Amino acid sequence: MFESLKCIESVFIPSWVEKIESYAFGFCSNLKNVIIDEGVKVIEDNVFQSCDSLQEIKIPNTVNKIGYSALPRNIKKVELGKNRIYYSKAFKQYR
């Protein structure tokens, strides 16, 4: 979707988006902050792969799945909603 766009620094994902597809923001090396609105249900695998500048992400209560390696390994802050039903390898290190 927005893969490899270096101009993106912040992203707001609105409530009408139910699923963030794999690699949607992968390799957006300047992406620093992500806010996901209530209504989003799934964050697929590798959505933020190699987003090494990503510092903060807010994940709402409506998210019930975070895919494999969805979040970068060096993220500084993750705010999770109340429904903590997440895939255990969401923060898996890339090789």
Side-chain angles (χ1 to χ4, degrees):
M1 182 186 287
F2 299 102
E3 186 175 354
S4 299
L5 288 178
K6 303 211 183 308
C7 61
I8 297 175
E9 292 185 8
S10 287
V11 170
F12 172 76
I13 300 168
S15 60
W16 52 266
V17 174
E18 289 188 10
K19 177 167 61 170
I20 307 169
E21 297 290 339
S22 294
Y23 297 98
F25 299 97
F27 306 97
C28 291
S29 58
N30 292 320
L31 183 60
K32 294 180 180 142
N33 298 299
V34 175
I35 298 173
I36 302 172
D37 204 8
E38 294 284 334
V40 176
K41 295 177 181 161
V42 176
I43 300 171
E44 288 288 350
D45 300 344
N46 303 301
V47 169
F48 298 104
Q49 181 173 359
S50 297
C51 294
D52 294 331
S53 296
L54 188 57
Q55 298 172 3
E56 182 176 345
I57 187 168
K58 294 180 182 180
I59 300 173
N61 294 329
T62 54
V63 171
N64 58 31
K65 179 193 174 207
I66 298 178
Y68 181 82
S69 295
L71 305 174
R73 67 181 177 269
N74 60 341
I75 193 165
K76 291 178 175 62
K77 183 178 180 183
V78 177
E79 289 185 28
L80 300 174
K82 295 175 186 173
N83 298 334
R84 289 181 168 68
I85 305 169
Y86 302 121
Y87 186 62
S88 63
K89 296 188 180 180
F91 297 94
K92 178 130 176 80
Q93 302 243 348
Y94 304 112
R95 296 177 198 226

